[in-house]
Amino acid sequence: MAVHSERVQTQSPDTGKAAVATIETSVAAGGAKGTPKKSTRTAGGPGFGTRFAPYLLLLPATVVTLGLLGWPLLKTVLVSFQNLNARQLVQHLTEWNGFENYTEQLTNSEFWAVTGRTVAFTLVNVVLIMIGGSLVGLLLNRLGKKMRLVLSVGLLLAWAMPVVAATTVYTWLFDTRFGVVNWFLDQLGWHSMAAYNWTGSQYSTFFVIILLIVWGSIPFVAFNMYAGLTTIPKELYEAARMDGAGPTKIFTSVIFPSLKPFFLATTFLEVIWVFKAFTQVYAIKAGGPDSLTRTLPVHAFLEGSGAQHYGTGAAIAVLTILMLGVLMAYYFRIILKQEDEL
């Protein structure tokens, strides 16, 4: 680019004095172009408000969450280090006993029996929920629009029913004298079941509770499974069928690898929900008969509010939370490992 300066000398008509003006013209190939303006914005990145705006928007929800969840959790932890029974509660006494409540539970055979029962109870429920939910999800994917709508409505009704209402219905269904289940089994020829007491033994009571929990949890897994199946390209199914793969091979080679994050996340959520299930277990038989269907949440409630040993109940609750925390740490470890592999 060549730059030429022209000096133009003019005479002022008023004063008669010469004024010299310098005009610079820029001549470029193809025409004349003006010099672009310099930006006055500093190159220091986004401003303070821009950087902290997302955190300010999250602040109200964070404060509410800490208030509703953090404060009760802190109070529970503090109570777990106290000898808080009916006398201390009435007299407003605070008697700290350190780790005595935890030591008492960790050396108590009943606590470990309830813990083992809770783990087995959770394992059975989660396996049945994941298998049943996956099968129903596959069925939703294969049905036509009308039948899919009918099945979806039925699943939504089961999912939307309040837990207490569902427990009341199941209590009536398995009632000894007027239960529909006993009447139906009697009509089928099993006359010994006409007056069977479903809550009279440990395993039959657990059968009713497990059936109730699985029935209420399958819709969540089924809908998520169906949503995940819609994301798998049809070309993968066609390629597997051309290779001679059957339904089982298609599931193990196409569906499961594609939906592995779904199975992992859903299984983890079901473990948490079943492990902390309280309403179904307590409303059916309150941990009976003979405390043989107690799980950790029910055990914490009965030892705390039921027996008025609030420090002991709080310690059991904290130990339950710590067990769930270990499960969460293991889950997040798997998630991070998968992200590193990707």
Side-chain angles (χ1 to χ4, degrees):
M1 181 184 292
V3 179
H4 304 280
S5 296
E6 258 185 69
R7 186 176 296 271
V8 180
Q9 190 171 7
T10 61
Q11 185 74 22
S12 174
D14 297 330
T15 59
K17 296 180 179 178
V20 179
T22 304
I23 303 174
E24 291 188 359
T25 57
S26 299
V27 181
K33 292 184 180 178
T35 305
K37 279 187 176 181
K38 275 189 177 181
S39 176
T40 58
R41 183 178 176 182
T42 59
F48 178 83
T50 305
R51 290 200 305 268
F52 288 93
Y55 302 101
L56 293 176
L57 294 174
L58 290 173
L59 183 61
T62 304
V63 172
V64 172
T65 302
L66 290 177
L68 295 178
L69 299 179
W71 177 247
L73 178 60
L74 177 61
K75 291 291 292 184
T76 302
V77 173
L78 293 177
V79 171
S80 68
F81 291 104
Q82 299 177 22
N83 180 28
L84 183 59
N85 300 323
R87 181 179 65 86
Q88 290 83 2
L89 189 65
V90 171
Q91 297 180 3
H92 300 283
L93 298 177
T94 301
E95 297 181 2
W96 299 95
N97 60 357
F99 289 92
E100 183 177 334
N101 293 328
Y102 293 96
T103 304
E104 179 184 353
Q105 291 303 312
L106 294 176
T107 56
N108 189 350
S109 60
E110 183 183 7
F111 172 80
W112 291 111
V114 173
T115 301
R117 188 183 304 135
T118 305
V119 172
F121 173 76
T122 302
L123 181 63
V124 171
N125 274 281
V126 171
V127 170
L128 293 177
I129 290 170
M130 292 304 299
I131 293 176
S134 299
L135 292 175
V136 175
L138 291 170
L139 181 62
L140 284 172
N141 193 46
R142 297 294 298 272
L143 290 176
K145 291 183 178 180
K146 293 183 179 179
M147 290 304 300
R148 184 187 300 132
L149 178 61
V150 173
L151 181 56
S152 298
V153 171
L155 292 172
L156 281 174
L157 292 175
W159 193 17
M161 181 175 290
V163 178
V164 176
T167 306
T168 304
V169 171
Y170 267 72
T171 303
W172 171 71
L173 288 174
F174 290 91
D175 184 73
T176 303
R177 296 180 58 188
F178 307 106
V180 176
V181 175
N182 285 357
W183 173 84
F184 184 71
L185 293 175
D186 181 48
Q187 296 298 314
L188 291 178
W190 292 330
H191 303 296
S192 60
M193 303 296 294
Y196 183 76
N197 183 10
W198 288 93
T199 59
S201 65
Q202 178 186 19
Y203 293 109
S204 60
T205 304
F206 264 133
F207 172 78
V208 177
I209 297 172
I210 291 173
L211 188 63
L212 171 60
I213 292 177
V214 171
W215 173 81
S217 301
I218 278 181
F220 174 77
V221 179
F223 283 128
N224 281 279
M225 179 73 176
Y226 172 65
L229 289 172
T230 58
T231 63
I232 301 177
K234 294 182 179 180
E235 291 79 6
L236 295 179
Y237 295 108
E238 296 175 357
R241 293 191 186 97
M242 291 179 63
D243 291 339
T248 304
K249 188 65 175 178
I250 291 176
F251 180 83
T252 56
S253 301
V254 178
I255 296 177
F256 184 77
S258 301
L259 300 183
K260 189 176 180 180
F262 152 75
F263 284 108
L264 182 63
T266 307
T267 302
F268 176 71
L269 289 175
E270 291 297 336
V271 167
I272 293 179
W273 289 339
V274 175
F275 195 88
K276 65 183 183 64
F278 171 82
T279 306
Q280 298 91 330
V281 181
Y282 184 79
I284 290 292
K285 194 63 177 179
D290 301 326
S291 302
L292 293 177
T293 59
R294 281 193 183 191
T295 56
L296 280 174
V298 176
H299 187 53
F301 175 78
L302 293 176
E303 289 295 321
S305 298
Q308 295 186 339
H309 300 311
Y310 300 101
T312 302
I316 298 173
V318 172
L319 290 173
T320 304
I321 294 173
L322 291 176
M323 293 178 190
L324 289 175
V326 172
L327 291 175
M328 291 178 63
Y330 179 71
Y331 169 75
F332 288 128
R333 180 182 177 184
I334 295 176
I335 293 296
L336 293 174
K337 184 178 180 181
Q338 284 188 344
E339 290 181 353
D340 292 338
E341 291 176 355
L342 293 176

